[in-house]
Amino acid sequence: MTSVIRHVTIDCADAYALADFWSQVLGQPLHEEDRPGDEEARIEGAGLLFVTVPEGRSGKNRLHFDLQPQDRTRDEEVTRLLALGATLLDDQRTGDGLGWVVLADPEDNEFCVERSAAERER
């Protein structure tokens, strides 16, 4: 018998606010019972659990998400995510259209945006 990963748990200062950001990023709803001020918030469809903790983040993320846009280009997705509140940390795009972009969510958790599947086929 084996185990499955039920959730990836993300410690944060404001579980609902960070879950709401990621809900918009992923196009997945927050759990119907989650409300502002709750100490936990879930995005069940993505297997993400956000938990409010008293201490802040220290050091570099040991785990991060690599996002692949589904219905737009990498560059269009970066623009959308910046408008949602992400911050640009590093731009690894190259002149030939390859590469990725490193962003941070509102609590400074790093994540990358890669090229879409359509862009990879070119």
Side-chain angles (χ1 to χ4, degrees):
M1 199 162 210
T2 61
S3 295
V4 298
I5 296 173
R6 181 168 176 226
H7 295 112
V8 173
T9 302
I10 301 169
D11 292 349
C12 51
D14 185 336
Y16 186 87
L18 193 57
D20 184 56
F21 169 82
W22 281 102
S23 171
Q24 293 176 66
V25 168
L26 300 172
Q28 296 276 335
L30 290 171
H31 190 276
E32 63 187 25
E33 296 174 2
D34 293 335
R35 302 284 179 266
D38 287 352
E39 292 190 11
E40 295 182 358
R42 293 169 285 173
I43 304 174
E44 289 291 343
L48 298 177
L49 172 64
F50 299 83
V51 178
T52 300
V53 297
E55 61 276 345
R57 190 184 84 137
S58 62
K60 185 178 184 318
N61 292 22
R62 299 287 307 260
L63 172 80
H64 71 267
F65 300 127
D66 290 334
L67 304 181
Q68 183 181 48
Q70 299 299 295
D71 60 353
R72 58 184 58 99
T73 68
R74 174 199 56 212
D75 296 347
E76 291 168 338
E77 182 68 347
V78 167
T79 298
R80 183 181 80 87
L81 298 174
L82 291 170
L84 289 176
T87 304
L88 177 65
L89 296 181
D90 191 21
D91 192 335
Q92 292 292 320
R93 292 176 280 197
T94 61
D96 59 3
L98 301 176
W100 63 93
V101 178
V102 182
L103 301 176
D105 70 18
E107 292 204 15
D108 295 325
N109 298 299
E110 298 171 16
F111 63 98
C112 296
V113 182
E114 299 179 347
R115 294 178 301 148
S116 68
E119 290 174 293
R120 290 174 183 272
E121 292 175 2
R122 296 181 199 162

